[in-house]
Amino acid sequence: MKTVSHLINNRATPVTENDRIAPVFNPATGQVSKNVALASKDTVQEAIAAAEAAYPAWRNTPPQKRAAIMFRFKELLQQNADRIAEVVGEEHGKISHDAMGELQRGIECVEYACYAPELLKGEHSRNVGPGIDSWSEFQALGVVAGITPFNFPAMVPLWMYPMAIVCGNTFVLKPSERNPSSAMLVAELLYEAGLPEGVLNVVNGDKEAVDLLLTNESIKAVSFVGSTPIAEYIYTTANANGKRCQALGGAKNHSIIMPDADMDNAVNQLLGAAFGSSGERCMALSVAVAVGDKAADTLIEKMSVAMQPLKVGAYTNSDNDFGPVITREHQQKVVGFIDSAENDGAKVVVDGRNPQVEGYEDGFFVGATLIDNVTTDMESYQQEIFGPVLQVVRVNTMEEAMQMINDHEYGNGTCIFTRDGEAARYFSDAIQVGMVGINVPLPVPVAYHSFGGWKRSLFGDLHAYGPDSVRFFTKRKTITQRWPSSGVREGVDFAFPS
Ligand code: NAD
């Protein structure tokens, strides 16, 4: 059986007998499809050393030349999109239309990175004092690291290293060990595009690899995306070791369904946003807060009908709407949350606990599930389920709905469905959430904005990709210079310069 190893200095490392390995599953069949090597401290050290050795020359490569490699990379990603989507499907389970959407979003981040010569131009002020000019420039940090989750195995690495690299840093990526192959394939395309050896290195692994990245002195910054408990650990450990860190965490994204909403439209939007990718998106809309019983009853009635034709199945059939969840353990966890909601008094209106997927009886499937009468004291409401489950909470007023959202520990995404511009404007102004949609269920910012939640959905100051990522992967240096005219001597002055 194949074992996925690591990429150091643009080459796959050999797998040795002493390497620890973990199984990689095809979640649709429930079978192990390959293994992945889990990097030892020595292997991570080797990757860091390769990145350190590549840094001086890469830092001094003109930004336009660095961007030219990104242009070729973007073309190669487009030419190989089907291959990448296939690998994502096999190890993650998402259907090709969804995998292609994920990849397209990643490609847009590469496009934005191609713009680096413009983004790195800096700021200049002439004559800040007599004969004195001053400017700020944005310099690379050195070797930086990225640690990514399973749910967007192709896209999330592309949030990080294209911009980091084009800004002059060298990079060590640690993808999710549950589905490592798409990150490997995408990195190989960047080598094919002409990236010099050592600029991007990929180590697969678990906590052992991560902990070395968090403590090694050569790593100057860590960008992390994953669940909140791990994000918090990454952020505090990286900070304690003197590193810059951004750590994006989990979510519980609410939509408010106002009584005046176009209900058919809201139902269509909710279907994709709640069940797409089996709900394994950090922007999945997992809670619908209906304002008034009439809106709630209409929503439940229409959703139950609209959910009947939904098809859960293997990624190999593009007619399927969504695939399995990532592991058997996660499948059991999602089903456990449905059980707990029911035991706590909520009503399971559409039950996806035992989906029949012909020919894939051992797959990790959960069908689309709709739960009514959920309340905020229930564990299934408080925690991120990360499965194809939409919970409906009934409230009487918009204020009550907003208070509920603001009280939740997560603040990643949210959306309001309404025809009332005044209500929408008030909502977007006052809601304590980082990414807000008005009749847009998945308000994922485009590549030239930045992505990030509030509260315990993001630890750190700067959001991912877009303009914030240029700031995250560079440090500002401000230079003030005077060239006195010949013959002019400066006098002694003990006052603070003004
Ligand atoms: P995860 O936290 O389990 O793993 C993320 C990464 O951390 C992986 O590379 C993993 O190997 C590593 N890791 C896991 N446990 C670790 C430990 N104890 N010490 C050090 N490193 C460890 O997350 P996941 O299950 O892969 O991904 C799903 C989660 O990610 C969900 O909570 C989802 O909401 C979140 N997510 C958030 C965003 C966002 O932008 N906010 C985007 C995608 C996913």
Side-chain angles (χ1 to χ4, degrees), residues 3-81:
T3 298
V4 180
S5 63
H6 321 286
L7 293 168
I8 298 177
N9 276 325
N10 295 22
R11 284 180 296 279
T13 59
V15 183
T16 67
E17 272 182 10
N18 297 330
D19 283 334
R20 290 183 304 131
I21 55 167
V24 177
F25 286 86
N26 175 337
T29 62
Q31 306 301 314
V32 177
S33 67
K34 54 183 82 80
N35 291 312
V36 59
L38 302 175
S40 64
K41 288 195 168 65
D42 287 348
T43 305
V44 181
Q45 191 60 62
E46 205 188 314
I48 295 171
E52 267 193 302
Y55 178 62
W58 183 246
R59 173 192 191 274
N60 288 324
T61 302
Q64 206 177 344
K65 290 202 167 157
R66 300 195 295 243
I69 295 172
M70 287 298 155
F71 270 110
R72 287 198 289 278
F73 180 41
K74 167 189 144 66
E75 282 168 13
L76 287 171
L77 287 170
Q78 284 166 328
Q79 286 161 16
N80 289 277

Side-chain angles (χ1 to χ4, degrees), residues 147-152 156 159 174-178 205-207 210-211 224-228 230 233-234 248-251 281-282 384 386 412 451 457:
I147 301 157
T148 53
F150 81 83
N151 67 323
F152 285 105
V156 172
W159 285 5
K174 209 298 286 170
S176 170
E177 66 276 35
R178 297 190 199 143
D206 54 8
K207 185 170 166 50
V210 171
D211 283 348
F224 171 88
V225 177
S227 60
T228 286
I230 309 298
Y233 167 72
I234 300 280
L248 283 72
R281 291 177 179 145
C282 65
E384 181 181 39
F386 223 52
N412 214 39
F451 181 108
S457 291

Side-chain angles (χ1 to χ4, degrees), residues 99 193 311 334 382 445:
K311 282 197 278 185
V334 173
Q382 289 161 359

Side-chain angles (χ1 to χ4, degrees), residues 432-494:
Q432 299 299 303
V433 172
M435 294 172 283
V436 179
I438 315 289
N439 298 313
V440 173
L442 295 177
V444 179
V446 291
Y448 42 97
H449 286 256
S450 293
F451 181 108
W454 286 12
K455 297 184 276 183
R456 289 175 60 78
S457 291
L458 187 149
F459 301 86
D461 305 310
L462 292 166
H463 288 197
Y465 70 74
D468 271 15
S469 70
V470 184
R471 291 291 174 265
F472 184 76
F473 288 118
T474 58
K475 54 190 170 192
R476 177 187 287 264
K477 180 179 280 180
T478 305
I479 299 150
T480 304
Q481 84 174 3
R482 167 162 50 196
W483 292 104
S485 306
S486 50
V488 176
R489 287 282 167 272
E490 306 297 331
V492 178
D493 191 349
F494 291 99

Side-chain angles (χ1 to χ4, degrees), residues 300-312:
I300 292 287
E301 190 189 322
K302 286 182 183 279
M303 272 307 275
S304 327
V305 174
M307 285 169 66
Q308 293 315 314
L310 292 186
K311 282 197 278 185
V312 55

